[in-house]
Amino acid sequence: MTPLLSTKNISIRFNTAKGTVYAVNEVDIQLKKGEVLGIVGESGSGKTQLMLSLIKLLPENAEICGQVNYDNHNLLEASQAQINKIRTEEIAMIFQDPMSCLNPYLKISTQLIEALLLEGKVNKSEALQQAIAMLKKVQIPNAEQRIHAYPYQLSGGMRQRVMLAMALLRKPKILIADEPTTALDVTVQAEILQLLKQLTKEYGLSVLFVTHDLSIVAGQCDRVVVMYAGKVVEQASVDELFYRAKHPYTQGLLASAQSQSGMSDKLISIAGQVPANNKLLMGCPFYQRCEQRIEPCANRMPILSGNDMHSQACHLYD
Ligand SMILES: Nc1ncnc2c1ncn2[C@@H]1O[C@H](COP(=O)(O)OP(=O)(O)O)[C@@H](O)[C@H]1O
Ligand SMILES: [Mg+2]
């Protein structure tokens, strides 16, 4: 089955006063219709930039090459008008910080109905009714009153719900959720995750779910892509990954997540540091921290091998 959206050889680098930053290196991902694909990796591994690149939202100092294939087009070559249409009708994105997409000076009502009015299919009072119905869907109590609030009058969890409502009102096919619950208290986090899961099903969405927290993945995703230092190091179904992780980095992440959840009596972490991203690496990005490294790891970049169900970029499996 052809994926709904896929990337081919995406590399993203930034030009900065201190030189080039290599943020994402030759990444291929495939999102199938109706699946929730987790993108996991520690902070700085390139998850957000990869997601922003899909809808041409990269910062100005970014350079990108490769392909983003969607609906028989390479979105990287799409015109501004085409990409605007994709963003309003096809691919919606929600962020860790709702204030990054809510305007603090405008009432929620104004922001929610904007896209509906632009579409031109409904008048203002119909748009308001649709917006209120959607606020109820995302379980905002007293939606009829709350819709007239300003963002600052709502709690973080409520703002996250508003951002989700805003995304869903556009009836997207794909939802990109970038660490949507990272900034929230654990109880609110659990509620929002539950809501996301329920609405994903109800609206038949395909989701790219970005997180640094492997423990969220099991409950939320069908498949997982693990990123490390701007590269995909492993991808597999959730079960495969949790029970048969192959890449030493993924194994380390799992051990560390288990130890944090109290399943092990000592706290495990992966020794060492992520390599600097100011030059391109010749070998495996993980080799310096890897306890299983072998001869070619330092000097030869491993490529993904395996099959559709499970693949890993590691010389142990060459
Ligand atoms: N505008 C920018 N200029 C220079 N470097 C950037 C810029 N934006 C992001 N980066 C760098 O790109 C790398 C990947 O960032 P990001 O995708 O945000 O990571 P993640 O979402 O996995 O935490 C980081 O090293 C970050 O510092
Ligand atoms: Mg990020």
Side-chain angles (χ1 to χ4, degrees):
M1 195 172 76
T2 26
L4 182 61
L5 178 135
S6 64
T7 69
K8 196 158 174 47
N9 256 326
I10 287 289
S11 294
I12 302 167
R13 51 195 63 170
F14 292 100
N15 301 310
T16 73
K18 288 189 183 156
T20 308
V21 171
Y22 298 87
V24 172
N25 298 307
E26 298 177 344
V27 165
D28 294 355
I29 57 168
Q30 293 88 28
L31 175 67
K32 295 174 195 158
K33 190 167 183 289
E35 81 172 344
V36 180
L37 178 64
I39 311 285
V40 181
E42 54 198 298
S43 178
S45 54
K47 308 179 297 295
T48 294
Q49 304 312 315
L50 179 65
M51 295 302 113
L52 293 174
S53 76
L54 304 178
I55 43 176
K56 283 184 116 169
L57 282 179
L58 285 172
E60 273 189 359
N61 62 335
E63 258 178 52
I64 178 165
C65 57
Q67 290 175 14
V68 175
N69 295 312
Y70 177 73
D71 199 15
N72 296 320
H73 294 286
N74 176 6
L75 295 188
L76 296 186
E77 288 168 358
S79 67
Q80 196 56 46
Q82 285 167 326
I83 205 76
N84 286 346
K85 195 164 150 60
I86 299 262
R87 283 188 212 145
T88 41
E89 295 173 11
E90 312 265 330
I91 307 177
M93 184 159 176
I94 60 175
F95 303 86
Q96 176 174 341
D97 173 16
M99 287 313 266
S100 62
C101 71
L102 293 175
N103 184 331
Y105 302 108
L106 292 177
K107 284 183 178 175
I108 285 159
S109 52
T110 314
Q111 307 189 50
L112 282 172
I113 66 174
E114 190 189 2
L116 294 174
L117 293 180
L118 268 177
E119 235 180 34
K121 289 184 190 148
V122 290
N123 65 28
K124 194 171 170 190
S125 91
E126 285 162 342
L128 259 178
Q129 285 317 309
Q130 282 188 21
I132 291 170
M134 189 55 83
L135 288 185
K136 290 181 178 166
K137 274 263 177 231
V138 298
Q139 294 164 13
I140 292 193
N142 305 323
E144 286 89 351
Q145 284 88 49
R146 282 257 169 76
I147 195 165
H148 300 295
Y150 288 91
Y152 73 87
Q153 294 173 307
L154 302 178
S155 67
M158 285 296 156
R159 287 203 286 254
Q160 200 56 260
R161 288 171 200 268
V162 169
M163 183 163 59
L164 183 59
M166 209 152 136
L168 294 179
L169 271 174
R170 299 169 168 187
K171 304 188 194 72
K173 294 194 174 71
I174 297 176
L175 178 69
I176 304 174
D178 188 359
E179 309 246 14
T181 61
T182 301
L184 304 172
D185 297 343
V186 266
T187 45
V188 182
Q189 172 168 341
E191 286 170 18
I192 302 269
L193 289 174
Q194 180 56 38
L195 178 69
L196 254 174
K197 204 169 164 176
Q198 178 199 324
L199 294 175
T200 296
K201 256 211 185 108
E202 188 175 334
Y203 287 85
L205 294 169
S206 310
V207 180
L208 286 161
F209 187 91
V210 177
T211 179
H212 67 279
D213 185 350
L214 210 49
S215 65
I216 292 182
V217 166
Q220 218 66 26
C221 306
D222 303 310
R223 227 154 46 81
V224 196
V225 166
V226 181
M227 287 185 71
Y228 183 75
K231 291 208 69 97
V232 172
V233 295
E234 184 158 12
Q235 49 185 345
S237 68
V238 165
D239 282 353
E240 271 287 309
L241 197 92
F242 277 80
Y243 293 111
R244 284 177 286 278
K246 290 183 170 168
H247 199 288
Y249 173 64
T250 316
Q251 291 170 352
L253 269 187
L254 282 165
S256 147
Q258 277 170 3
S259 76
Q260 278 169 32
S261 68
M263 285 166 75
S264 148
D265 40 11
K266 65 174 191 243
L267 204 60
I268 300 170
S269 65
I270 308 173
Q273 277 173 353
V274 182
N277 58 7
N278 60 357
K279 52 181 186 289
L280 273 177
L281 301 171
M282 286 200 342
C284 171
F286 190 60
Y287 103 96
Q288 280 176 321
R289 299 169 83 181
C290 184
E291 290 174 354
Q292 302 176 57
R293 63 180 172 236
I294 48 176
E295 206 277 312
C297 301
N299 300 313
R300 192 150 53 83
M301 183 65 80
I303 53 168
L304 280 171
S305 64
N307 52 44
D308 280 356
M309 306 291 291
H310 195 159
S311 57
Q312 61 290 319
C314 176
H315 289 306
L316 292 171
Y317 303 91
D318 280 351

